[in-house]
Amino acid sequence: MKLENKVIIVTGAGSGIGRATSLKLASEGAIVVSSDYNEVTAKETAEMIQKAGGQASYVRADVSKPEDIQHLIDKTVEVHGTLDGLFNNAGVGDVRSFEEHTPDYYNHVVSVDQFGVYLGIYYGSKKMKELGVKGIIINTASIFGYMAAKGSFAYQAAKAAVVMMTKSAALELADDGIRVIAVAPGFIDTPIIKDGDDFKSFLADQHLSKKLIQPEQIADVVSFLFTGEASAINGQTIPVDDGFLIFKRS
Ligand SMILES: NC(=O)c1ccc[n+]([C@@H]2O[C@H](COP(=O)([O-])OP(=O)(O)OC[C@H]3O[C@@H](n4cnc5c(N)ncnc54)[C@H](O)[C@@H]3O)[C@@H](O)[C@H]2O)c1
């Protein structure tokens, strides 16, 4: 139990990486606040944790709305007494041509994947400072924060910003003892990858193992980053990409 009674918020907790991470953190003893803009799935994750004997509550929040994030953080402290960690994980993305990147679409993606992470860092760190907690904030970036591929213009802009915000925030918050880290997943077998089996097997082939990464494999790394064992990691984005970023495609 490496996270006993640590109060940790997970956004995007109703599915994929967020759900797997919520379950893993709870299995390490954390009190998890499962948050998603889908209230039904956020509640389901909290119930899954409780059924397994863990501690959890849930709060509906749209990460792109400042008032929702403020409420999420205030509610967490009201119910659980403190805030030790925050996993800014909620995200949207799909594959569409540059022509289909209308201003409205671009704004939508960036408001969740970039502005949403900023809001978590901003309000989360403010509360940690108020409480005098030396907390940990972890953001979900992506391999597409580092390299470009056709069809994900807005997503890549947002994820590159997450990589940079992680560095800047670590610098801004170091004097308060708050660490800020990110993970950059490769292709993970979650509902965000909506296309059919052929596309999935194409994505799997981009990894050294030739398999899609499972959400639990990201959860293990995030859980480790929340522990004291990762105390010398700060401001970095850790690729969890099964080798995706290391080699040139032929
Ligand atoms: N799956 C991948 O291949 C992959 C790769 C790299 C990075 N990521 C990132 O991982 C994170 C989690 O994605 P996933 O693969 O688990 O996808 P997912 O679709 O399974 O989960 C995303 C969750 O975020 C929630 N969400 C979406 N918009 C929201 C909003 N405005 N406010 C609150 N919640 C919102 C959804 O309801 C959903 O539960 C995202 O940031 C995504 O960009 C995923």
Side-chain angles (χ1 to χ4, degrees), residues 42 50 98 212 214 231 248:
Q50 287 157 358
F98 183 60
L212 286 177
Q214 294 306 306
S231 59
K248 177 181 176 298

Side-chain angles (χ1 to χ4, degrees), residues 12-18 36-38 41 61-64 89-92 112-113 140-143 155 159 185-188 190-193:
S15 178
I17 294 170
D36 204 288
Y37 74 167
N38 183 334
T41 59
D62 179 339
V63 296
S64 66
N89 165 73
V92 290
V112 179
D113 292 0
T140 303
S142 168
I143 46 175
Y155 185 81
K159 292 299 185 181
F187 297 112
I188 318 302
T190 74
I192 214 172
I193 299 181

Side-chain angles (χ1 to χ4, degrees), residues 193-250:
I193 299 181
K194 295 182 185 85
D195 300 75
D197 285 348
D198 282 356
F199 188 57
K200 281 196 172 186
S201 93
F202 166 76
L203 295 179
D205 279 348
Q206 309 302 311
H207 297 137
L208 294 180
S209 73
K210 309 280 183 206
K211 291 180 193 154
L212 286 177
I213 299 167
Q214 294 306 306
E216 291 74 17
Q217 294 175 277
I218 306 298
D220 286 344
V221 176
V222 174
S223 173
F224 163 73
L225 292 173
F226 273 120
T227 69
E229 288 173 355
S231 59
I233 300 177
N234 200 0
Q236 294 288 7
T237 296
I238 315 295
V240 190
D241 67 344
D242 193 359
F244 178 90
L245 288 170
I246 68 161
F247 69 105
K248 177 181 176 298
R249 276 76 190 152
S250 49

